[in-house]
Amino acid sequence: MQSRKERHQHEIKNAELNDGKNYKNKRPNKNKWVRKKRNLLLVLLLIIVIIGGAVFGGKMLLPDKNAALDPSDTRFRSVTISSGSTPQQMGQQLEKAKIIKDADYFYKYVSKHGAQNLQAGDYVLSPSQTIPLIVSQLSEGPTAEPKLSKGYILVRVGDSNDTIINKINKQTDISSEKLKAAFDKKSVIKQMSKQYPELLKGIDGTTGDEKLLNYVFPAAYNLNKDKTADEVVNTMLSGTDKLMQPYYSVMKKDGLKAPGIIAILAVSGKAEFEHRRAFIKKIAPYAEQLQKKYGILASISIAQAAHESNWDDSDLSSKYNNFYGVKSEDKDNSVVLSTKEYVDGKETTQKARFAVYDSWKDSMLQHTQLLLKGTDWNADQYKDVIKAKNYKQAAQALYDNHYATDINYTKLLTDLIETWNLQRYDK
């Protein structure tokens, strides 16, 4: 039997053991607190992400008020900013011309960045330009080079191939050597001809004169996505192809090549292209009749009429039916007008008396008679023109036989004939 003392000691031990267990059960759980703290941090982080996303998403959803109307529309349009226009009116003119998104955006921008610097005048602008770029251009004045964003280039009328290559090089960092090689490479020409057969009809890459750069429309091009020279070639020809789509049916019907038509459209526009084509269609049948009867090449008759009359836009042509600038001493059937002549290769303006005709057909007939019968002082003056077997020989003979004093006359005629495929009327 246990004594009281022993029992007492045993109870004390049991009590101590029980107290230890109870203490352990009541002690804070460290892992649970860590989990709570971690969960709290995750919630805070999630809140921050949601708020940040909302702000960023809001910026993405809200439009950039100063962004370009259409970054992909790189066509340039003529826009006249009227003299005396306020910044608000300028913005309205630009919005109406579909160059910018909103006139109010334009006004708010210029109000902060110098509205007093804006100048009136005739500008060439594009929907691919941002408002800051447009404002910069308007501040420099009508003669300023169009402003473009990084990665864009502007091919202008009259730019040489080397100038275009240098512009591309500056915006893409692709070497000039690689660019030149790509535009002239036979394999690239072959591939591009498959992709754009109507644009590149007639080019085979075997002659030095047929360069792909000659088929590039003077316009702006976005080269930001292009990493290689071949991609640049494709981008520029793709843009040209889109611009030329409305003219392919006419080119096919008349046998025209793209470079000449591109030059006319870029310089003079669609209306002038249609005007010139209509002029050719009007006089070509009669030129063919004169060729059959008298032997003067129809292409020469048409080309001279177009060149001498400025496509029937000169006063002498439109008012007096004189296509060829034929002079006359008959005071009853003539008119005195200013004319440009070349003396020792230099252009001068003089007064002269020109023949007046009842109809344009009379003018063409008289021109044919002049070539056949010569002048009063030399009946055989144009004998080489009459003997010519093709338009190139005839054009050279006109200068050699002193029909014209302009040293560039032969090239002007041959270029005009080839651009409009006028030789087709010589058959």
Side-chain angles (χ1 to χ4, degrees):
M1 280 181 80
Q2 287 181 319
S3 66
R4 181 185 297 175
K5 183 178 179 180
E6 289 174 337
R7 287 198 302 273
H8 181 67
Q9 289 177 344
H10 182 72
E11 290 174 357
I12 291 174
K13 287 182 179 178
N14 286 337
E16 288 176 349
L17 288 172
N18 289 333
D19 285 345
K21 291 178 180 179
N22 291 336
Y23 174 77
K24 289 180 180 178
N25 291 334
K26 293 178 182 178
R27 187 174 55 185
N29 190 323
K30 184 177 180 181
N31 290 335
K32 186 176 182 180
W33 167 246
V34 170
R35 285 196 299 271
K36 287 182 178 180
K37 187 176 181 180
R38 185 171 59 227
N39 290 340
L40 180 61
L41 289 174
L42 289 173
V43 170
L44 290 174
L45 181 61
L46 181 60
I47 292 172
I48 292 172
V49 169
I50 292 173
I51 294 174
V55 173
F56 179 75
K59 289 183 177 179
M60 293 295 289
L61 292 173
L62 290 174
D64 181 356
K65 295 180 179 181
N66 297 323
L69 174 63
D70 185 355
S72 65
D73 186 356
T74 54
R75 292 173 297 175
F76 276 78
R77 302 164 188 167
S78 297
V79 180
T80 299
I81 301 299
S82 304
S83 179
S85 296
T86 65
Q88 290 172 311
Q89 291 170 331
M90 290 182 179
Q92 291 167 358
Q93 292 172 47
L94 293 171
E95 183 181 349
K96 184 177 181 181
K98 296 183 179 180
I99 298 298
I100 62 174
K101 292 180 181 178
D102 193 305
D104 289 338
Y105 295 168
F106 177 86
Y107 175 69
K108 290 175 182 178
Y109 182 86
V110 298
S111 296
K112 294 180 180 179
H113 298 85
Q116 71 278 4
N117 297 325
L118 302 179
Q119 301 179 45
D122 296 325
Y123 290 89
V124 178
L125 301 167
S126 169
S128 63
Q129 292 175 287
T130 63
I131 286 180
L133 291 174
I134 292 171
V135 170
S136 174
Q137 190 173 333
L138 297 182
S139 298
E140 291 187 23
T143 59
E145 181 85 6
K147 308 294 182 181
L148 295 173
S149 299
K150 176 66 178 175
Y152 287 77
I153 69 158
L154 175 63
V155 177
R156 306 201 70 172
V157 174
D159 278 353
S160 67
N161 288 353
D162 286 341
T163 297
I164 298 172
I165 292 293
N166 289 335
K167 287 182 178 181
I168 300 171
N169 169 248
K170 290 179 180 178
Q171 292 299 324
T172 64
D173 293 329
I174 301 172
S175 71
S176 297
E177 290 73 19
K178 289 183 178 179
L179 289 166
K180 288 180 180 179
F183 276 105
D184 295 339
K185 195 187 302 180
K186 290 183 180 180
S187 61
V188 176
I189 292 175
K190 185 177 180 180
Q191 178 60 37
M192 293 298 101
S193 295
K194 290 181 180 179
Q195 289 185 234
Y196 312 109
E198 293 173 301
L199 174 66
L200 299 177
K201 185 176 182 180
I203 187 173
D204 57 15
T206 59
T207 62
D209 294 334
E210 291 183 321
K211 308 283 187 180
L212 284 179
L213 273 174
N214 295 339
Y215 290 77
V216 172
F217 200 102
Y221 297 90
N222 182 0
L223 306 180
N224 280 294
K225 295 181 180 179
D226 299 331
K227 304 302 180 184
T228 67
D230 288 8
E231 290 176 346
V232 169
V233 173
N234 185 54
T235 293
M236 298 181 75
L237 291 180
S238 174
T240 298
D241 183 63
K242 291 177 183 177
L243 293 172
M244 292 296 291
Q245 286 290 335
Y247 305 97
Y248 287 148
S249 60
V250 170
M251 289 168 58
K252 182 178 181 180
K253 183 177 181 180
D254 293 353
L256 310 180
K257 288 187 177 182
I261 305 308
I262 287 173
I264 295 168
L265 292 171
V267 174
S268 305
K270 179 181 179 180
E272 183 61 23
F273 171 78
E274 297 294 348
H275 166 73
R276 295 183 185 188
R277 183 167 180 260
F279 179 73
I280 292 171
K281 294 296 182 184
K282 181 176 81 169
I283 71 172
Y286 190 60
E288 289 178 303
Q289 291 180 33
L290 293 175
Q291 178 179 338
K292 289 179 180 179
K293 188 172 183 179
Y294 300 106
I296 303 299
L297 293 174
S299 62
I300 290 296
S301 296
I302 299 168
Q304 283 194 282
H307 175 65
E308 301 286 352
S309 71
N310 190 27
W311 296 93
D312 201 21
D313 279 342
S314 70
D315 285 346
L316 185 60
S317 170
S318 59
K319 294 180 179 179
Y320 305 107
N321 293 312
N322 189 335
F323 281 171
Y324 301 94
V326 175
K327 296 183 174 76
S328 174
E329 296 301 325
D330 183 358
K331 294 184 179 181
D332 293 330
N333 293 291
S334 64
V335 62
V336 177
L337 297 172
S338 297
T339 181
K340 292 180 180 179
E341 300 289 348
Y342 288 83
V343 179
D344 297 329
K346 295 182 179 180
E347 185 181 274
T348 62
T349 301
Q350 302 175 359
K351 292 285 186 181
R353 186 175 292 279
F354 295 92
V356 174
Y357 298 103
D358 292 332
S359 71
W360 58 265
K361 287 187 176 181
D362 289 342
S363 173
M364 294 187 71
L365 177 60
Q366 180 61 39
H367 171 259
T368 298
Q369 294 295 332
L370 171 65
L371 295 179
L372 291 171
K373 297 179 179 179
T375 59
D376 293 339
W377 56 90
N378 185 357
D380 295 325
Q381 182 165 343
Y382 303 116
K383 63 179 181 179
D384 296 325
V385 180
I386 299 170
K387 293 178 181 178
K389 300 299 182 182
N390 58 60
Y391 69 91
K392 291 183 178 180
Q393 293 177 1
Q396 183 61 52
L398 283 166
Y399 180 75
D400 293 342
N401 293 168
H402 307 292
Y403 181 94
T405 55
D406 183 357
I407 58 175
N408 298 310
Y409 195 77
T410 298
K411 187 176 187 313
L412 287 169
L413 287 188
T414 54
D415 284 353
L416 193 156
I417 290 170
E418 291 169 357
T419 295
W420 291 98
N421 190 27
L422 299 183
Q423 62 268 36
R424 70 187 187 274
Y425 297 114
D426 293 340
K427 298 178 181 179

